[in-house]
Amino acid sequence: MVTSSECPLDAATIAERMNLHVTTVRFHLDRLEAAKLLSRTTEREGHRGRPRVVYSTDAFPSDENAANRQLVEVLADALSHDPDGGKARGEEAG
């Protein structure tokens, strides 16, 4: 089951929660970011290597995209109630 999160999540965490391959999740995250339905930021954890890329829905202006945000939340909630966590319908839609 997919759960909501107050903090930004990386693609691997989202993939694990949705029981999808991380490449599939990254593809859809890129599309959602292009549609301005989420934002991407990087986090440094104080060690060498690439910064961690995380995604958040905080990109929504307060009222301007309220309907879009509500639609995304309703669709995500509907998918999360599928026995497979929305995997089949998500892949079919993709």
Side-chain angles (χ1 to χ4, degrees), residues 27-79:
F27 171 84
H28 290 287
L29 289 170
D30 287 345
R31 298 306 178 270
L32 290 168
E33 181 185 18
K36 298 184 185 267
L37 295 174
L38 56 78
S39 63
R40 173 195 313 222
T41 56
T42 55
E43 294 180 345
R44 282 248 179 232
E45 296 182 356
H47 52 80
R48 286 190 248 166
R50 285 187 184 169
R52 181 174 169 237
V53 176
V54 294
Y55 299 85
S56 171
T57 57
D58 294 341
F60 290 101
S62 58
D63 291 325
E64 186 177 323
N65 286 323
N68 286 343
R69 181 182 182 119
Q70 185 176 16
L71 176 61
V72 169
E73 289 173 352
V74 167
L75 291 173
D77 185 59
L79 287 174

Side-chain angles (χ1 to χ4, degrees), residues 80-91:
S80 73
H81 288 84
D82 285 357
D84 66 354
K87 182 177 180 178
R89 287 198 293 166
E91 288 176 351

